[in-house]
Amino acid sequence: MDKLVAGNWKMNGGLASNRLLLDAFTPVSGVDMLVCVPYPYLSQAQQRTPSIALGAQDVSEFPAGAYTGEVSAAMLRDFDCTFVIVGHSERRALFHEDNATVARKAAAALAAGVTPIVCVGETLAERDAGRVMDVIGAQLSAVLEVLGVAAMARIVLAYEPVWAIGAGRSASAEQVAGVHGAIRAWLATRGVDAGTLRILYGGSVKPQNAAELFAIQHVDGALVGGASLVADDFMAICRAAAHR
Ligand code: 13P
């Protein structure tokens, strides 16, 4: 299975700067490339980079109706989004999304034919307290409870240690290997047929550390923040993931 390299632009960009960035993204064979742009730019990205998959950074848990400010999964499909990030740590921390909300968002995405990229990960305090898999297990359990075993196999997971996001330094190879392996084991224990379920790593992925990260067992791609806003860096990360 090819690796998936997803750019998460977060709340960055503008029509003019996006144009330059999107035009510099060219498909790389042997890797699945994805850009997750802010909602207002979905149409621009859809038209400028039809050869690269398109995604959003959040989605409503509701299908339609009186939910001012929300964007439904069906609306994302209208713009050819095939993926949507849910439960990013910034949404959990800054916008108070709990595990159950994240799970319902993942279900709403799947119901509309959009693959959710469910983010999980611990804070530094939780790591220091030896609670990494307690925290991730609770995040995963909530999703499994809502989706069920069969649908769980159809999502993408992203392990993003909160302390490595925007930090300049990724988690170490040992830390990444440990958590990705533990997530696989967690899924297997619960009967999830995770053969094609990809587990991405996110947190300060850069051209300098991409090859090392992609060489780790059970790292099936990357969720890239800051480096996805620099065309050369994002392309270099995609090339490092190709045919791995
Ligand atoms: P950085 O790559 O900027 O650390 O961000 C990671 C992230 O949050 C991707 O979703």
Side-chain angles (χ1 to χ4, degrees):
M1 185 176 36
D2 286 344
K3 297 207 188 297
L4 172 64
V5 178
N8 174 10
W9 287 8
K10 308 192 179 184
M11 197 174 73
N12 293 292
L15 280 177
S17 60
N18 296 350
R19 201 173 300 136
L20 297 173
L21 195 52
L22 291 167
D23 288 354
F25 291 164
T26 49
V28 175
S29 92
V31 58
D32 292 334
M33 294 167 62
L34 165 68
V35 281
C36 297
V37 306
Y39 294 136
Y41 304 125
L42 285 172
S43 172
Q44 183 191 25
Q46 178 192 30
Q47 281 156 36
R48 285 199 99 85
T49 44
S51 52
I52 291 173
L54 182 59
Q57 302 168 15
D58 187 24
V59 66
S60 177
E61 65 184 274
F62 304 110
Y67 302 104
T68 302
E70 290 286 271
V71 172
S72 74
M75 293 172 185
L76 299 182
R77 270 250 55 115
D78 267 349
F79 287 89
D80 293 335
C81 284
T82 45
F83 293 91
V84 62
I85 299 167
V86 298
H88 191 280
S89 64
E90 288 151 16
R91 296 218 58 86
R92 291 176 187 265
L94 301 172
F95 304 99
H96 314 295
E97 291 189 9
D98 60 15
N99 288 343
T101 305
V102 172
R104 289 192 297 271
K105 288 184 172 196
L110 273 183
V114 179
T115 301
I117 300 175
V118 179
C119 299
V120 298
E122 81 288 358
T123 63
L124 194 55
E126 289 162 345
R127 174 164 281 271
D128 288 345
R131 297 188 52 236
V132 175
M133 278 316 288
D134 290 347
V135 171
I136 294 175
Q139 292 168 337
L140 292 173
S141 288
V143 179
L144 179 59
E145 198 173 301
V146 172
L147 295 189
V149 168
M152 188 79 178
R154 291 166 41 217
I155 70 173
V156 172
L157 288 172
Y159 170 53
E160 296 209 309
V162 177
W163 46 273
I165 294 174
R169 262 187 77 185
S170 72
S172 71
E174 293 72 28
Q175 289 167 328
V176 176
V179 174
H180 281 236
I183 291 174
R184 280 252 174 257
W186 190 99
L187 293 167
T189 307
R190 282 147 187 90
V192 178
D193 179 10
T196 57
L197 183 154
R198 291 193 272 207
I199 308 175
L200 315 183
Y201 167 77
S204 298
V205 178
K206 296 177 285 200
Q208 295 83 342
N209 59 20
E212 184 191 11
L213 289 165
F214 292 135
I216 300 168
Q217 195 185 12
H218 303 308
V219 172
D220 307 308
L223 186 51
V224 185
S228 74
L229 298 167
V230 180
D232 287 350
D233 287 358
F234 189 65
M235 291 304 299
I237 293 167
C238 290
R239 283 193 296 272
H243 304 296
R244 294 299 297 259

